[in-house]
């Protein structure tokens, strides 16, 4: 029984309660998640586990690690058509990162700090999001935490005048190798920046004079790292005539270092501005923990966390390409420092850093409450009862946290913030967002296609003006992405074809087509990748009123103001004069 209520077990239950709802209910999210999932599915279908591909093109931006993990998860579950199966590695990675943070915090400052640090990381908004998506970042975080844990053991052992065992050092190199297979140079960069900062800071420390980094067994470690990475690296190089590495360097790594890639540029300070929201609800104590750590930076354990946090954060701020999740590898160190401040009841909690942190935390909570109430109305035009759960949870959490903080019960306030804020975030991702249909046009398109053409019927489908990878994952790799003229020829060549056309391109398709086209369904929604409204119309050469009714029953029709089958009365209906009109009247 004790095993189920031990600190690691409690953190495990917390993670499962936060991550599972969204993992199971969120439709495929554009664009990275759908690309990773579809590339893994094609890998399973083709049997080529060396070169990742999306549709007909090689996907050379990321190494093979995440595809192998997703393929193993899908094979184990046996559900290649379910996006939740592809998310299992992210779930496992987030849980391992949380437990690893607990282990590091416990080793550095005691079990109480480690437990609270694990909870701070588990409940942060960024961790919750990444745990629910089939991308690389949660598994990369687990690899980085494992490497930093081994590095912490090496350094703490050296402080005692001893030398860590070779197994710990080899674990460090194995974790780096896994990080490289997941996302290239990110894990080694974090580790090397930590080591370089500590080497500079402790250059006069008696325990670190000389070549203390020899405790990492660099020679054998590099051999182990090479042995893990080289087989796949050589295989993919030979298989692609080394284009994989050339494209990864010139199309992914260098553009991110030299300019804002794919319109994701932002000035330095971007992550600092976003941190109260991305770390929320743990951002309540982050500023106090950081100030206390700077004051106590001479302590080796504190310096280790600062060396993990500061240089890596600065590197991410200086990079021209920025996405909110890039800074996630630094959050375990920030969580440990925040937990240390709470358990140690540092004076910064009562001073200006604590007051500023509380104000920022309340501001983010207020924005979150407002957004959860207004999002269904703004995005779909009607209120949603599921928005009440996160709104009520957030309101109650803010009230209790403010009262506890003002009375000086900081640790109680932090736990209320974590549990209440985590519950609110989980209810948004697991309950509210999946129930806003306008956010998931690909899901509605797939349902509308399945109404007149059940899966497996072989009816050809094409799309004009909408190229999101989530649609490829839901409809299969056979769905054609065409221009207006190509779509007209596609309809002319396939009598039973279905073509989704963006509203502004429908006139071009009608003009280029030599056959009558009928609108079966209309989908209104948001293209979240581009942040703009979208209307897509399903066109076909032959149409039956039963098809339209089938689409309506499955929720494909967008609104009463967008009829997909204009009704006519017997007194006003004209006699059909063409074969297509006769067939339509007969329901063919």
């Amino acid at each position: 029984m004790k095993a189920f209520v031990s600190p690691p077990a409690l953190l495990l239950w917390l993670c499962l309660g936060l991550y599972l709802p969204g993992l199971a209910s969120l439709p495929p999210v554009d664009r990275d998640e759908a690309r990773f999932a579809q590339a893994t599915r094609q890998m399973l279908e083709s049997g080529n586990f060396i070169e990742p591909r999306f549709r007909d093109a090689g996907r050379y931006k990321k190494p093979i690690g995440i595809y192998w993990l997703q393929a193993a998860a899908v094979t184990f579950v046996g559900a290649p058509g379910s996006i939740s199966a592809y998310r299992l590695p992210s779930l496992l990675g987030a849980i391992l990162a949380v437990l690893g943070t607990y282990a590091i915090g416990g080793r550095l400052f005691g079990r109480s700090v480690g437990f609270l640090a694990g909870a701070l990381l588990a409940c942060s908004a960024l961790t919750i999001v990444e745990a629910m998506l089939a991308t690389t970042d949660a598994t990369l975080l687990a690899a980085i935490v494992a490497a930093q844990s081994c590095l912490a053991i090496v350094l703490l052992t050296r402080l005692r005048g001893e030398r860590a065992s070779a197994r710990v050092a080899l674990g460090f190199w194995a974790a780096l190798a896994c990080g490289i297979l997941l996302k290239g140079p990110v894990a080694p960069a974090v580790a090397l920046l930590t080591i370089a900062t500590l080497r500079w800071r402790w250059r006069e420390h008696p325990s670190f004079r000389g070549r203390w980094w020899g405790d990492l067994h660099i020679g054998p470690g590099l051999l182990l790292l090479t042995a893990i990475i080289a087989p796949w690296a050589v295989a993919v190089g030979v298989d692609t005539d080394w284009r994989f590495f050339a494209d990864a360097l010139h199309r992914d790594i260098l553009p991110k270092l030299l300019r804002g890639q794919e319109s994701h540029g932002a000035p330095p300070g971007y992550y600092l501005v976003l941190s109260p929201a991305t770390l929320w609800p743990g951002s309540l104590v982050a500023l106090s923990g950081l100030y206390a750590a700077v004051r106590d930076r001479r302590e080796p354990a504190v310096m280790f966390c600062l060396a993990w946090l500061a240089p890596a954060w600065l590197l991410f701020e200086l990079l021209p390409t920025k996405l909110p999740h890039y800074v996630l590898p630094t959050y375990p160190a920030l969580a440990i420092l925040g937990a240390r401040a709470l358990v140690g009841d540092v004076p910064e909690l009562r001073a200006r850093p604590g007051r500023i942190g509380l104000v920022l935390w309340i501001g983010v909570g207020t924005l979150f409450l407002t957004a959860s109430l207004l999002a269904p109305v703004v995005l779909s035009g009607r209120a949603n009862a599921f928005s009440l759960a996160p709104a009520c949870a957030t309101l109650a959490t803010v009230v209790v946290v403010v009262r506890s903080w003002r009375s000086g019960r900081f640790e109680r306030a932090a736990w209320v913030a974590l549990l209440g804020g985590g519950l609110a975030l989980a209810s948004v991702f697991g309950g509210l967002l999946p129930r806003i249909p306008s956010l998931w046009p690909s899901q509605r398109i797939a349902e509308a296609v399945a109404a007149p053409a059940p899966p497996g019927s072989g009816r050809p489908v094409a799309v004009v003006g909408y190229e999101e990878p989530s649609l490829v994952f839901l409809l299969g790799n056979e769905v054609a992405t065409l221009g207006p003229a190509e779509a007209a020829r596609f309809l002319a060549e396939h009598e039973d074809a279905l073509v989704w056309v963006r509203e502004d391109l429908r006139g071009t398709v009608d003009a280029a087509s030599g056959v009558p086209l009928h609108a079966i369904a209309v989908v209104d929604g948001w293209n979240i990748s581009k942040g703009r409204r979208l209307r897509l119309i399903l066109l076909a050469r032959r149409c039956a009123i039963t098809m339209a009714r089938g689409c309506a029953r499955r929720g494909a029709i967008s609104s009463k103001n967008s009829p997909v089958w204009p009704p006519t009365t017997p007194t006003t209906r004209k006699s059909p004069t063409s074969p297509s009109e006769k067939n339509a009247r007969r329901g063919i």
Side-chain angles (χ1 to χ4, degrees), residues 169-191:
L170 293 180
F172 169 79
W173 292 102
L176 285 189
C178 293
I180 292 172
L181 285 176
L182 287 165
K183 206 170 182 178
V186 178
V190 173

Side-chain angles (χ1 to χ4, degrees), residues 393-410:
T394 304
L395 180 60
T397 300
V398 170
V399 171
V400 176
V401 167
V402 171
R403 293 183 62 180
S404 300
W405 193 274
R406 287 181 175 177
S407 63
R409 292 176 290 180
F410 302 114

Side-chain angles (χ1 to χ4, degrees), residues 110-130:
R111 285 188 175 184
S112 297
V113 172
F115 181 58
L116 184 54
L120 284 168
L121 180 64
C123 295
S124 73
L126 193 55
T127 306
I128 292 175
V129 170
E130 294 303 328

